């Protein structure tokens, strides 16, 4: 069961990060279209909310459709976190998440519309 997670939604338009930790949910809008700042933005977002990434924490990433380069960067960052911190990694399709908010993300998880990568 996925309890605490970071969700990365980078498809090239309306990019966002979501974080569920200790029953709190936070959203960070990614204003910059610069793929090189994604890692730093994620690290700062996690640090701001005092997140401890371990095997009980999950990463969920949007697999598309969308901009090829932004999706590839997001997948690479998520895969790096998975490898370095031994976290479970899941993917979802953009069409399965009609609106980026806590309720829809939890529906996505409960209906098992995410796939283990």
């Amino acid at each position: 069961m996925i309890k605490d997670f970071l969700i990365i939604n980078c498809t090239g338009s309306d990019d966002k990060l979501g974080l569920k930790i200790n029953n709190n949910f936070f959203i960070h809008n990614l204003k910059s279209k610069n793929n090189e700042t994604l890692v730093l933005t994620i690290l700062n977002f996690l640090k701001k909310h005092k997140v401890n990434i371990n095997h009980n924490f999950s990463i969920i990433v949007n697999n598309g459709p969308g901009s090829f380069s932004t999706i590839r960067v997001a997948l690479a960052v998520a895969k790096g976190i998975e490898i370095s911190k031994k976290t479970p990694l899941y993917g979802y399709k953009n069409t399965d998440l009609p609106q980026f908010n806590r309720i829809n993300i939890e529906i996505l998880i409960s209906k098992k519309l995410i796939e283990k990568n």
Side-chain angles (χ1 to χ4, degrees):
M1 179 68 183
I2 297 174
K3 183 179 175 233
D4 294 331
F5 60 84
L6 171 70
I7 184 166
I8 305 170
N9 184 48
C10 290
T11 59
S13 64
D14 199 26
D15 298 341
K16 299 176 187 290
L17 300 174
L19 176 66
K20 182 178 176 227
I21 191 81
N22 300 327
N23 280 332
N24 295 310
F25 188 72
F26 307 98
I27 293 177
H28 178 78
N29 292 314
L30 298 171
K31 295 171 184 81
S32 172
K33 296 298 179 191
N34 184 353
N35 290 332
E36 294 147 8
T37 63
L38 183 60
V39 173
L40 186 57
T41 302
I42 289 172
L43 289 174
N44 288 337
F45 186 51
L46 295 172
K47 184 178 180 181
K48 176 182 176 182
H49 297 289
K50 298 178 177 94
V51 176
N52 180 25
I53 299 176
N54 58 34
H55 65 280
N56 294 322
F57 189 83
S58 298
I59 306 294
I60 305 169
V61 65
N62 190 331
N63 292 331
S67 168
F68 180 76
S69 62
T70 55
I71 291 170
R72 293 292 293 167
V73 169
L75 287 169
V77 170
K79 190 68 174 172
I81 296 170
E82 175 196 36
I83 291 169
S84 65
K85 298 293 187 174
K86 310 240 184 308
T87 61
L89 175 62
Y90 300 91
Y92 71 95
K93 294 177 185 163
N94 198 34
T95 54
D96 291 335
L97 188 62
Q99 189 174 7
F100 193 89
N101 59 41
R102 181 180 183 160
I103 293 168
N104 285 336
I105 293 167
E106 289 179 347
I107 290 170
L108 183 82
I109 293 167
S110 68
K111 288 188 174 181
K112 300 186 181 336
L113 294 173
I114 58 173
E115 300 174 351
K116 187 111 167 98
N117 288 353

